[in-house]
Amino acid sequence: MPQEDKVKKVKVKKTKAAVLSDDLSSGDTHLEFKKVKAETSEKAQQKQKGTKQHKVKSPKKERTDFEIADDKRLKQEASDGDFMPEKKGKKRKRKLESVEGPSSSSAPSLPKKKKKSPQEAEGCSGLEKKKRKSEAKNKKVKKEEKEERPVTAKKKTKEEIEAARALKIKKKEEEEQQRWRWWEEEKYEDGVKWRFLEHKGPYFPPEYQPLPDNVKFYYDGKPVKLSLAAEEAALFFAQMLDHEYTTKDVFRDNFFKDWRKEMTLEERMLITDLNKCDFGELHAMHKEKVEARKNMSKEDKLVIKQANQKILEEYGYCMLDHHRERIGNFKIEPPALFRGRGEHPKQGMLKKRIQPEDVIINCSRDSRIPEPPAGHSWKEVRHDNTVTWLASWTENVQGSCKYIMLNANSKLKGEKDWEKYEVARKLKTCVNAIRAQYQEDLKSKHMGTRQRAVALYFIDKLALRAGNEKEEGETADTVGCCSLRVEHITLHDTLDGEKCVVEFDFLGKDCIRYYNKVPVSKRVFKNLKLFMQNKQDGDDLFDRLNTAMLNKHLSSLMPGLTAKVFRTYNASMTLQQQLKELSNSSDNPAEKLLSYNRANRAVAVLCNHQRAPPKTFEQSMANLQAKIVSRKEQLALAKKELKQAKKEAKRSSDSKLLVVVEKKKKAVQRSEEQLLRMEVQATDREENKQIALSTSKLNYLDPRISVAWCKNMEVPLDKIYNKTQRDKFAWAIDMTERNFLF
DNA sequence: TTGGTTACTTAGAAGGCTCCCG
DNA sequence: CGGGAGCCTTCTAAGTAACCAA
């Protein structure tokens, strides 16, 4: 078997030392500056899709999302200045928000704390707020009714239905009332994350249950009773036998090596070849268990559910500054075989069971310190209120730290999220200056500066990730902007009728391929040629640059600015722009949603958020098409019947017939609506085949843009955000007015 | 300047759950 | 009323970036 068939070419050692003289006054300093024209980059592969037309409202829809996304964004960039309330006039508008707020009695410090942009600040008078709140409540109630009906089974009596509904509404109200409106509170001084933190500690996975006697592992045809530890590891492997992982050499080798470490001496002597191992019975047992689980009775399922609920109640929450907050991941990761993404050199290694002795607890000194499981003790208990984690441990495969932290709907996460978007919005006010500067820097005498300028150009224009350096052999070979190598780009003087085209092809985070052909300015192009001179495939494209240098530079341009802010900024900008472009308040609800999804999709394309096409995709698409066809037939029939009925009504003037005509009309109308909805759905789904919308929605798009859009378009928010998302974005939902601009 | 450590965000896969349709 | 499609949650890997010490 081809061991490591994909061994990556030798990577240059990552020291970007000063090898070459940094001075390059020679050569091409005479490059002309040419305005970057509106580039229409398109992603090669995915192309044709998205143009699939069916009745779509606006004529501009003829192009792919990619094209739309990209040049919309560029147009936006061009006109960015219009939006800028104050360019470089400094004096950031911290507007000491005396407008509202529970007195600033205790806020001597925090100079840059407590930000409120003008939009937020205005309309925050108590009165306004109250009004808004009650509005929200009303809406909620209405929604509730809608959601309620289908849920309640028909068996129930009317009263029961009523009661259930009332209960649900009440619960909702209570929830709303209990919600911690932290965004209305004063922020803590720098670095302090909490004043009081109490929790029960992490939840440990159940102990390993040894195999029953009738399930045997065989080596070389003979049954072997394994020691507990070895048996557990064997089961991990057996459970994965259906997975492609277990066919990979690296995975198998790593597993075998680590498995042998778990074995007793005798076992190790005996078991020397993975290929002679027969996990068949273990595998079968596992499958049986899965099957049995699936076929469990309703009652049994309920019992399990309730047990889980109980665990959640006990371990899933903590008290943070007098508020009960949900913990995101309160369970310790169970032991397993490591599943790295892509060609990970460590795939298959044994991720060991975590003991309380490995776990550091973080909580308030004056809280009830969590009890370790009986007979155990914690590695350490500390009281550090400058961090947000409740517990941590070091994982053995990569040696990295794992944390237990709060849920996304918590104050700690929400506040950070809000802050992130505020930084991105701040970038808006100085992005023009920064762009002008890097254009200028393309001409710099210093190689390092030029490289920085080109990298920044990519990060800004293509929303590439920063690209930190990685230790070789520890992870899959993936890159970001600063770590691009010569092999990852191809320069084309002309390509498909465009000049100066850069073709990118590399694996990014999670080994997701980034493929894109982008026309760039002549100057950038020439610089790239220069950077690539005398280099080989495996050499760094930006050998004088790393993320630390880049970020240092960025933070000097604007406090808080780092490479990743550009991604947030450009993503949110694109969404706002696309929504404006694509949606009309006169559209019907389905069309509005399609527009929103398209805008969202434009961002996902920009950020290269992909997913494996669902396994059932082709099938379900065919099903949908079939349904559309049959619906069309139905519609034709309905129309025919309507005609017929009209004819008859005319002839006989029997009033009953008129009623029939009305009925038929309704049927036609209904049919048409359903057909439209299906067609829209089909388009949406097709365009979405391998694009993941959720990542951008959750991490890059300022929720206030979406909330404002919903208000303007009169789209119920729950069409856009599900419950979890509404929870996470509660701060934005509460504070956003329809006139919000990112 | 580097190299390790730490803390926190961002990412897609997998599996469970719900709801809808025939 | 059973099965399956798709939405939602959970899981944990894989990034970014700051910090610290030598």
Side-chain angles (χ1 to χ4, degrees):
Chain A
M1 282 198 181
Q3 288 277 88
E4 308 247 327
D5 43 344
K6 283 243 168 87
V7 185
K8 281 291 158 175
K9 54 229 77 223
V10 205
K11 223 161 113 192
V12 239
K13 180 62 203 139
K14 281 253 101 170
T15 5
K16 315 226 176 172
V19 185
L20 301 150
S21 140
D22 211 30
D23 201 320
L24 40 70
S25 25
S26 63
D28 61 347
T29 39
H30 58 278
L31 298 185
E32 262 154 44
F33 178 79
K34 212 209 243 115
K35 253 271 166 62
V36 195
K37 54 150 198 269
E39 292 108 312
T40 43
S41 85
E42 81 236 20
K43 304 228 166 159
Q45 327 137 301
Q46 301 135 312
K47 212 103 70 138
Q48 341 61 340
K49 116 184 45 148
T51 39
K52 277 249 144 122
Q53 275 329 311
H54 81 259
K55 66 125 28 70
V56 161
K57 54 225 165 143
S58 91
K60 38 195 175 222
K61 278 291 183 42
E62 300 307 321
R63 302 170 313 154
T64 67
D65 277 350
F66 312 104
E67 290 165 330
I68 295 173
D70 206 55
D71 49 359
K72 289 296 153 51
R73 197 163 68 79
L74 278 156
K75 262 183 240 157
Q76 171 62 47
E77 285 161 8
S79 62
D80 234 359
D82 305 351
F83 284 48
M84 284 197 304
E86 50 194 86
K87 201 156 172 183
K88 43 190 4 185
K90 296 306 148 208
K91 180 98 199 155
R92 285 263 46 72
K93 57 223 153 176
R94 276 292 84 96
K95 224 164 235 178
L96 264 315
E97 57 295 356
S98 38
V99 192
E100 57 137 12
S103 89
S104 52
S105 55
S106 67
S109 54
L110 41 153
K112 54 173 176 241
K113 294 278 104 170
K114 196 64 183 180
K115 47 204 70 181
K116 287 255 166 184
S117 68
Q119 283 95 333
E120 295 145 22
E122 91 200 11
C124 265
S125 74
L127 206 130
E128 272 280 86
K129 226 184 295 166
K130 229 175 264 169
K131 201 180 78 198
R132 250 186 293 146
K133 233 189 277 184
S134 73
E135 262 172 21
K137 209 166 269 176
N138 281 341
K139 238 178 249 168
K140 280 249 163 75
V141 172
K142 256 186 258 157
K143 191 180 343 160
E144 215 23 69
E145 288 171 348
K146 243 189 292 163
E147 276 170 6
E148 183 67 25
R149 239 160 235 144
V151 174
T152 45
K154 28 195 115 170
K155 298 176 218 162
K156 290 189 185 167
T157 69
K158 249 187 185 164
E159 296 91 80
E160 275 175 321
I161 296 174
E162 271 308 309
R165 185 189 303 164
L167 194 78
K168 229 181 178 179
I169 294 172
K170 211 167 132 198
K171 224 168 129 191
K172 193 121 205 195
E173 270 174 8
E174 257 167 38
E175 199 177 287
E176 196 50 42
Q177 222 146 53
Q178 278 180 12
R179 193 193 294 289
W180 181 8
R181 305 169 67 82
W182 50 260
W183 50 92
E184 290 169 358
E185 294 177 11
E186 202 74 24
K187 283 195 177 172
Y188 291 158
E189 61 267 37
D190 248 352
V192 173
K193 303 290 169 50
W194 46 264
R195 300 208 200 285
F196 180 81
L197 174 62
E198 180 172 271
H199 58 92
K200 289 278 285 192
Y203 178 79
F204 286 87
E207 294 286 305
Y208 173 65
Q209 299 295 323
L211 293 178
D213 289 337
N214 61 338
V215 178
K216 292 193 173 69
F217 163 78
Y218 297 87
Y219 185 76
D220 211 4
K222 290 184 278 285
V224 177
K225 177 74 189 160
L226 294 169
S227 62
L228 217 57
E231 187 183 281
E232 185 180 16
L235 190 56
F236 292 149
F237 191 80
Q239 283 171 348
M240 287 182 73
L241 239 33
D242 285 333
H243 203 289
E244 202 200 330
Y245 269 120
T246 54
T247 64
K248 294 191 182 177
D249 288 339
V250 182
F251 189 95
R252 296 174 69 89
D253 288 351
N254 283 333
F255 162 69
F256 196 56
K257 236 186 247 161
D258 275 7
W259 185 28
R260 281 172 57 81
K261 287 180 203 156
E262 299 301 304
M263 294 177 188
T264 62
L265 189 60
E266 286 105 334
E267 288 165 344
R268 207 161 24 238
M269 300 277 275
L270 175 68
I271 301 170
T272 54
D273 183 359
L274 183 56
N275 293 316
K276 290 186 182 165
C277 295
D278 177 1
F279 302 96
E281 288 189 9
L282 314 206
H283 181 61
M285 180 194 78
H286 172 248
K287 287 188 82 164
E288 243 166 64
K289 269 191 181 164
V290 170
E291 195 57 28
R293 237 184 106 85
K294 227 167 46 191
N295 298 330
M296 246 180 338
S297 72
K298 257 196 174 136
E299 293 75 38
D300 289 348
K301 276 186 183 166
L302 190 67
V303 169
I304 292 188
K305 202 171 167 186
Q306 282 170 345
N308 283 334
Q309 198 60 37
K310 211 180 139 202
I311 293 170
L312 175 71
E313 274 303 314
E314 186 168 359
Y315 291 93
Y317 295 85
C318 70
M319 287 304 285
L320 189 133
D321 296 342
H322 309 301
H323 296 272
R324 190 163 183 255
E325 295 265 57
R326 175 91 187 263
I327 300 171
N329 58 328
F330 59 91
K331 290 177 176 164
I332 295 270
E333 293 175 17
L337 301 187
F338 178 76
R339 298 153 90 123
R341 308 277 172 91
E343 297 301 321
H344 200 294
K346 298 197 169 184
Q347 59 182 297
M349 286 174 69
L350 180 64
K351 190 170 79 173
K352 297 219 174 119
R353 184 177 288 273
I354 302 300
Q355 301 295 343
E357 284 72 14
D358 304 317
V359 175
I360 304 173
I361 296 291
N362 190 34
C363 62
S364 283
R365 203 176 291 279
D366 57 343
S367 73
R368 291 212 313 267
I369 311 290
E371 288 287 331
H376 286 279
S377 55
W378 303 121
K379 177 179 183 183
E380 182 191 336
V381 176
R382 67 172 76 157
H383 314 286
D384 182 355
N385 75 349
T386 67
V387 296
T388 65
W389 52 269
L390 319 189
S392 73
W393 69 91
T394 303
E395 159 265 0
N396 68 294
V397 174
Q398 317 232 52
S400 65
C401 236
K402 299 267 189 173
Y403 300 92
I404 285 181
M405 289 184 188
L406 296 191
N407 192 266
N409 67 6
S410 62
K411 172 194 174 179
L412 251 27
K413 295 289 185 190
E415 204 168 56
K416 203 77 188 291
D417 214 33
W418 181 18
E419 203 177 293
K420 172 181 79 186
Y421 291 115
E422 286 308 309
V423 172
R425 290 175 83 200
K426 207 166 114 194
L427 172 55
K428 185 177 153 180
T429 66
C430 53
V431 75
N432 280 357
I434 291 173
R435 285 171 177 161
Q437 161 133 40
Y438 70 62
Q439 291 293 348
E440 202 54 34
D441 284 346
L442 292 171
K443 297 182 277 190
S444 167
K445 278 192 196 138
H446 295 283
M447 188 63 146
T449 308
R450 282 199 194 198
Q451 292 192 354
R452 193 180 67 200
V454 172
L456 198 43
Y457 173 87
F458 286 162
I459 284 171
D460 183 22
K461 183 175 157 61
L462 306 175
L464 299 189
R465 294 188 185 82
N468 280 323
E469 284 154 43
K470 307 165 69 181
E471 213 172 324
E472 224 178 316
E474 295 291 302
T475 64
D477 178 24
T478 62
V479 296
C481 185
C482 292
S483 48
L484 280 170
R485 299 193 299 266
V486 172
E487 67 199 281
H488 297 131
I489 65 169
T490 313
L491 302 181
H492 303 276
D493 291 321
T494 61
L495 184 72
D496 303 333
E498 308 221 58
K499 285 189 176 159
C500 300
V501 176
V502 185
E503 183 181 356
F504 292 84
D505 191 353
F506 61 88
L507 295 182
K509 180 177 179 180
D510 291 314
C511 287
I512 298 294
R513 181 177 183 213
Y514 183 92
Y515 184 82
N516 201 359
K517 292 180 209 161
V518 197
V520 300
S521 70
K522 214 166 165 186
R523 180 165 290 141
V524 167
F525 198 75
K526 282 219 173 179
N527 270 317
L528 286 170
K529 275 192 173 167
L530 179 69
F531 302 160
M532 290 163 78
Q533 257 171 32
N534 303 320
K535 284 190 196 165
Q536 317 211 326
D537 272 358
D539 295 345
D540 284 315
L541 179 63
F542 302 116
D543 54 299
R544 303 302 177 77
L545 184 69
N546 60 36
T547 53
M549 294 155 71
L550 180 65
N551 281 333
K552 204 175 150 207
H553 174 241
L554 288 175
S555 75
S556 77
L557 299 178
M558 184 193 106
L561 186 61
T562 63
K564 90 197 238 316
V565 177
F566 281 87
R567 241 167 111 79
T568 312
Y569 166 78
N570 281 316
S572 286
M573 250 357 217
T574 302
L575 179 76
Q576 181 166 282
Q577 177 63 20
Q578 288 283 292
L579 285 177
K580 199 171 153 197
E581 201 74 38
L582 298 176
S583 57
N584 291 302
S585 41
S586 58
D587 290 343
N588 71 39
E591 287 172 326
K592 284 179 183 171
L593 278 186
L594 179 61
S595 300
Y596 183 87
N597 282 341
R598 283 196 157 142
N600 191 165
R601 194 143 52 227
V603 176
V605 168
L606 175 72
C607 294
N608 201 37
H609 291 143
Q610 299 185 18
R611 60 167 185 174
K615 286 195 181 74
T616 55
F617 186 84
E618 294 305 332
Q619 184 56 50
S620 79
M621 209 58 199
N623 289 350
L624 188 56
Q625 285 303 342
K627 257 166 48 183
I628 288 176
V629 169
S630 85
R631 179 68 62 184
K632 272 184 181 157
E633 283 164 6
Q634 198 182 328
L635 178 62
L637 184 67
K639 274 184 176 162
K640 216 174 177 180
E641 282 179 2
L642 172 62
K643 228 183 200 169
Q644 188 64 31
K646 267 185 183 163
K647 228 191 250 169
E648 278 172 29
K650 234 183 214 167
R651 266 209 300 262
S652 83
S653 74
D654 180 346
S655 66
K656 259 189 205 158
L657 286 177
L658 280 178
V659 177
V660 173
V661 168
E662 276 311 302
K663 248 189 198 160
K664 298 284 178 198
K665 251 189 204 165
K666 283 246 172 70
V668 168
Q669 206 185 341
R670 203 169 42 228
S671 229
E672 273 173 345
E673 277 168 14
Q674 279 173 339
L675 180 62
L676 178 71
R677 206 163 349 146
M678 280 184 198
E679 283 179 332
V680 167
Q681 194 190 3
T683 313
D684 205 29
R685 209 190 288 171
E686 179 66 38
E687 290 177 1
N688 239 9
K689 185 174 176 183
Q690 40 186 350
I691 299 175
L693 298 188
S694 63
T695 306
S696 48
K697 201 178 198 173
L698 249 37
N699 300 302
Y700 288 102
L701 301 178
D702 189 328
R704 290 168 295 183
I705 299 171
S706 298
V707 173
W709 181 82
C710 280
K711 285 190 174 170
N712 283 318
M713 291 286 150
E714 290 175 346
V715 171
L717 198 65
D718 57 351
K719 297 282 180 217
I720 301 292
Y721 288 142
N722 68 30
K723 174 86 175 85
T724 312
Q725 296 168 153
R726 291 197 299 274
D727 258 5
K728 165 170 176 166
F729 296 134
W731 58 272
I733 294 169
D734 184 63
M735 69 169 62
T736 306
E737 305 290 338
R738 64 191 319 144
N739 61 5
F740 173 84
L741 266 190
F742 178 76

